[in-house]
Every structure is written in structure tokens, then in C-alpha cells.
Amino acid sequence: MNTKLKLVAGTAAMMVLLSGCEKKAGGQVVAVVNGEEITQQELNAELNGAQLQQGADKKAIMAQLLQRVVDRTLLVQQAKEEKLDQSPAYLEQSRRQQDSLLVNMYAGKLSKNVPLPDSAAVSSFIAGNPTMFAGRKRYTLDQLVFPQPTDMTLVKELQPAHSLEAIAAILTAKGVAFQRGNGQLDSGMLPPEVASKIGALPPGEPFLIPDNGRLVASVIKSSEPVATPGDQATPAALNILRQQALAEAMRKQVAKARASAKIDYQPGFAPPPGSTSGAAPGLPGAPAGGAAPKL
């Protein structure tokens, strides 16, 4: 056999070996994209995140979801080919997402040891927070929306304003762009102390609420009662109390970990002497904290 024939034979043998190692869809592997497996477990997780209508064809939906996963896998492969997974921005965001996932999983583990509040505690919570239950209201609002300033000087200058027109005049004089519109606010979605303050404002008196990097100045135009039905009040209160108990358990774990941790700060980044640690990571299921400053 001459050299050329040996080369051809060797190449053919290598192709046979490669074809024997090629990944195939089957069993728990529902698809293979450029050698990368997509498993039934991944597809089930995708299905769990979808909102299915009653009587929906689950098999057809899973087939559609699989194509979504295939498309995503192709895009990820392309991004990796361009080495985006090695960029500092990706590595930083990836770490944050992984940290968030671990914190949520740790919270889930702690929640198993959080006792359920008894019926007396639930009833007391419902009675003590009328803005979330029997006295719950939905407000229709006139609003001005503008960027949240980097310092509180502007907010202090808005304190004497007692109407949206007065606020608009100050913002215009300061060269601050704003948008005017309408909105709604549910007192049940607010911390009770904030909802009580808003409900007690004189007619036409504005109030401020921060919203994702913006400030929203609002005036109540009208309100309507939307009391939480009795059959919904108890489970809602139970969920909030459990979330509060879980948040407290998380705070205790943070305090315990801080007590034994070695933390070295760069000059200028250390917390002030005597200050306490930050609150535990936010947990879903309870009204957000914070205060709405009154103008």
C-alpha cells in the first residue's frame, strides 16, 4: 500500500472513531446542538417557568419550548465564539447572578425552619394593618415623573410646594425635565406606615415615591375601597408574616457571619464606627419597605 492509500485509510479510520463518539439525542437528551446536549431536565425547567392555560397541549408546548432553548443555545455558542464569556462585564454579572441564586437557595433552606404564625398572630396582623386589608384603597393619581437627583437638595427645595403646579414650576426653573400623566396606587402594596401617611394627606397635597431611578410626585384625584376579601386576607397575612420571619432569620445569619468574618476595607469604604450591617437581601412576598417623603 503506497503512502497516499495509507493516508486515505487512516483518515477513514479516524472518521469512524469520530462518528462513534458523536453525541446523539435519546433517553434524557432531547436535542444535541453542535455537540452540546439539551436534557429533559432543562426542558422541564423551561416548562415550569411557562404559564400554561387550562387544557393546553403540553406536548406541543414542550416542542415549542425546545426550539426556544435550541435558539438560545445557538446564540450562547455564538457569544462564546466571540469570547464574550471572557469579558469583565460578563464575569461580573455572572457572579452577581450566581450569588443571588445561592442567597435565594439559602433562604429557601432557612424557610423550612421558620415556624408558621398561629391564628391569633394572623388575626392581630390583619386588624393592625387596615390599609392592606379591610381599609385597603385604590387611588387614582395625577403625577409628575422626573429623574431622581444624585443628592437631596432638589427634594428639600420641593418641600414647600403644595401642588403639582408648584412642583412643575420648581422643576422647570431648575431645568429638570419631567413628564406628566396619570397613575394608580394600591395601598395594599405599600408599607402600612407609608399608606397611612398618604391616606391622611389633605386634598391636593402631593407626595413623592421613588421608582427605579425616578421620583414620582403624585396627587390623589379619587379613591375607591378595594377591601381584601376575607378568604384572601388570612393566606396573604400568613405569607407576609412568614416572609418577615424569614427576613429576620436572614438578618441573624448575616450578623452571626459578620461576627466571625475577617473583612478588610480599602480606606474610605469602611462603614462608620458603630453602624450596623445592611438589611438582609430582599425577599419576595411582602410589601416593599421605605418611606414616601411628604412635600
Side-chain angles (χ1 to χ4, degrees), residues 53-231:
Q53 295 182 350
Q54 190 73 21
D57 187 342
K58 186 176 178 181
K59 187 174 182 180
I61 291 175
M62 289 189 75
Q64 294 174 2
L65 291 176
L66 177 56
Q67 294 311 306
R68 181 193 301 175
V69 178
V70 168
D71 289 345
R72 186 171 66 228
T73 301
L74 288 168
L75 289 173
V76 169
Q77 290 175 352
Q78 183 63 41
K80 288 181 176 179
E81 187 175 326
E82 297 183 16
K83 301 188 183 303
L84 294 180
D85 59 326
Q86 299 176 27
S87 68
Y90 170 80
L91 294 174
E92 187 272 331
Q93 292 185 46
S94 178
R95 176 181 173 180
R96 289 180 60 191
Q97 291 177 359
Q98 290 178 17
D99 287 352
S100 179
L101 175 60
L102 284 172
V103 168
N104 287 335
M105 292 180 69
Y106 186 59
K109 181 179 179 180
L110 283 181
S111 68
K112 296 177 181 178
N113 298 320
V114 174
L116 288 173
D118 57 29
S119 58
V122 172
S123 297
S124 176
F125 183 81
I126 292 173
N129 295 280
T131 59
M132 299 174 65
F133 300 102
R136 185 175 177 180
K137 292 182 179 180
R138 182 185 295 117
Y139 298 108
T140 300
L141 309 170
D142 269 340
Q143 296 181 314
L144 295 178
V145 182
F146 54 98
Q148 187 165 341
T150 55
D151 59 53
M152 297 300 290
T153 303
L154 178 60
V155 174
K156 292 179 181 179
E157 293 180 3
L158 294 175
Q159 291 285 341
H162 295 288
S163 68
L164 283 188
E165 287 69 24
I167 292 177
I170 294 173
L171 293 176
T172 300
K174 294 290 182 181
V176 178
F178 61 87
Q179 294 179 326
R180 188 155 193 166
N182 299 313
Q184 288 190 333
L185 184 66
D186 187 334
S187 70
M189 298 294 103
L190 296 171
E193 65 276 9
V194 175
S196 296
K197 289 180 180 179
I198 291 175
L201 290 174
E205 185 74 12
F207 59 93
L208 284 178
I209 291 183
D211 176 38
N212 294 324
R214 309 178 303 172
L215 282 178
V216 183
S218 303
V219 166
I220 297 173
K221 290 174 59 180
S222 63
S223 65
E224 60 176 330
V226 286
T228 303
D231 61 340

